[in-house]
């Protein structure tokens, strides 16, 4: 690893004409915004110039010039083996808007997920300390005691230690059917919060039973301990790629594309976006969308189905046939179970 130090400071320039920029000034403004975003990107993770060129839709030579500009601005650009770059971040880790965004996200998880209750509270308190006193009180007053049992907090501490120290994690796993799967040995690669239930999941190489990357729900991991063996991170593991076809946390080597038709009264909400792996196909009052999702062993997108059922009569699964049939079966069973008038109380 080689640290590249600053070669000088730029000379600041200002102009009242910035209020009505001409094309040249607009180009300068675009570059300034890109430099700011590039700084954040390199502070967050190591990147190659090719990665950054794709991210910002410019050529690699433009990225290299931007990196040189960041050096001249006084940032310590670190060049790593393999031609990746990063910038150490010192001082306050979060700017005000970033701190508020992080606070809101953790507060959501704290109030809607029973796991990691005290960890979330401590994180909220730490983030609030970076914000002015006049809003800190309001923020912390908004965090209510959920009464949740901290059943997964020790598990998270063990997982965090294993990941940070590169130690293999021993644990047993209680499967959804109640069966206890014993003797798992995991090299932790990543931790993900499911968008479906806001529960934490652990992703890693389970080396003893199947020898493949697997996903485990944290609350079902029991009897955790640290193995004497250590491991190195897998340079080929890309969490974004692994989760690219996951609606929540279930990835798949053979993801499924599900076509759904939304009624006009739901169309506006669908068109607002915010859904992963979704593609608009047609809009004619109704809206047709394609959703790509990972499947379980039965070939069904288990994480996607509750989302589709949640739309009630405003969404219709069109294809593939076996997913449409599973969706209809759920609706029919619900109707058969509850479509009877309640018994009258004659007492």
């Amino acid at each position: 690893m080689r640290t590249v130090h600053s070669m000088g400071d730029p000379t600041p320039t200002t102009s009242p004409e910035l209020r009505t920029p001409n094309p040249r000034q607009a180009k300068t403004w675009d570059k300034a915004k890109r430099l700011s975003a590039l700084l954040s990107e390199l502070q967050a993770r190591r990147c190659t110039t090719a990665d950054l060129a794709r991210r910002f839709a410019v050529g690699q030579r433009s990225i290299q010039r931007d990196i040189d500009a960041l050096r001249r601005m006084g940032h310590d650009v670190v060049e790593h083996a393999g031609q990746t770059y990063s910038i150490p971040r010192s001082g306050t880790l979060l700017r005000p808007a970033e701190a508020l965004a992080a606070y809101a996200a953790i507060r959501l998880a704290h109030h809607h997920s029973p796991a990691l209750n005290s960890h979330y509270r401590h994180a909220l308190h730490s983030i609030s300390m970076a914000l002015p006193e006049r809003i800190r009180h309001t923020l912390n007053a908004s965090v209510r005691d959920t009464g949740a049992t901290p059943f997964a907090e020790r598990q998270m501490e063990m997982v965090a230690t294993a990941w940070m120290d590169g130690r293999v994690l021993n644990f047993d796993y209680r499967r959804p059917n109640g069966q206890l799967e014993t003797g798992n040995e995991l090299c932790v690669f990543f931790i993900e919060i499911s968008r479906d239930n806001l529960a934490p999941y652990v992703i890693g190489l389970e080396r003893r039973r199947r020898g493949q990357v697997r996903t485990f729900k944290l609350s079902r991991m029991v009897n955790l301990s640290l193995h004497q063996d250590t491991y190195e991170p897998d340079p080929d593991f890309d969490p974004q790629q692994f989760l690219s076809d996951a609606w929540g946390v279930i990835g798949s080597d053979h993801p499924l594309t599900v076509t759904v038709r939304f009624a006009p009264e739901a169309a506006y909400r669908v068109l607002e976006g915010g859904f992963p792996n979704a593609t608009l196909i047609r809009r004619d009052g109704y809206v047709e969308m394609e959703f790509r999702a990972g499947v379980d062993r039965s070939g069904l997108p288990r994480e996607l189905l509750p989302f589709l059922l949640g739309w009630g009569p405003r969404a219709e699964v069109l294809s593939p046939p076996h997913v449409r049939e599973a969706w209809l079966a759920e609706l029919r069973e619900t109707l058969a179970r509850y479509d009877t008038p309640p018994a009258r109380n004659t007492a």
Side-chain angles (χ1 to χ4, degrees), residues 31-98:
K31 181 172 182 178
K33 290 193 295 183
R34 188 172 73 243
L35 284 175
S36 178
L38 179 62
L39 173 61
S40 296
E41 196 79 12
L42 290 176
Q43 287 176 331
R45 62 188 181 95
R46 297 182 184 185
C47 302
T48 65
T49 54
D51 294 333
L52 296 168
R54 287 190 293 270
R55 163 74 173 80
F56 295 103
V58 297
Q60 286 184 247
R61 297 185 69 177
S62 294
I63 292 296
Q64 190 62 62
R65 287 193 292 268
D66 289 346
I67 290 174
D68 292 338
L70 290 174
R71 290 184 182 126
R72 293 193 299 273
M73 292 168 64
H75 298 288
D76 290 332
V77 180
V78 181
E79 185 176 348
H80 306 270
Q83 297 301 306
T84 59
Y85 298 88
S86 68
I87 296 177
R89 191 167 187 175
S90 58
T92 303
L93 291 179
L94 296 176
R95 293 187 279 276
E98 296 169 342

Side-chain angles (χ1 to χ4, degrees), residues 130-145:
L131 296 166
E133 171 63 31
R134 61 192 181 89
I135 70 170
R136 189 187 311 156
H137 174 77
T138 302
L139 286 174
N140 289 330
S142 73
V143 180
R144 67 178 183 273
D145 184 2

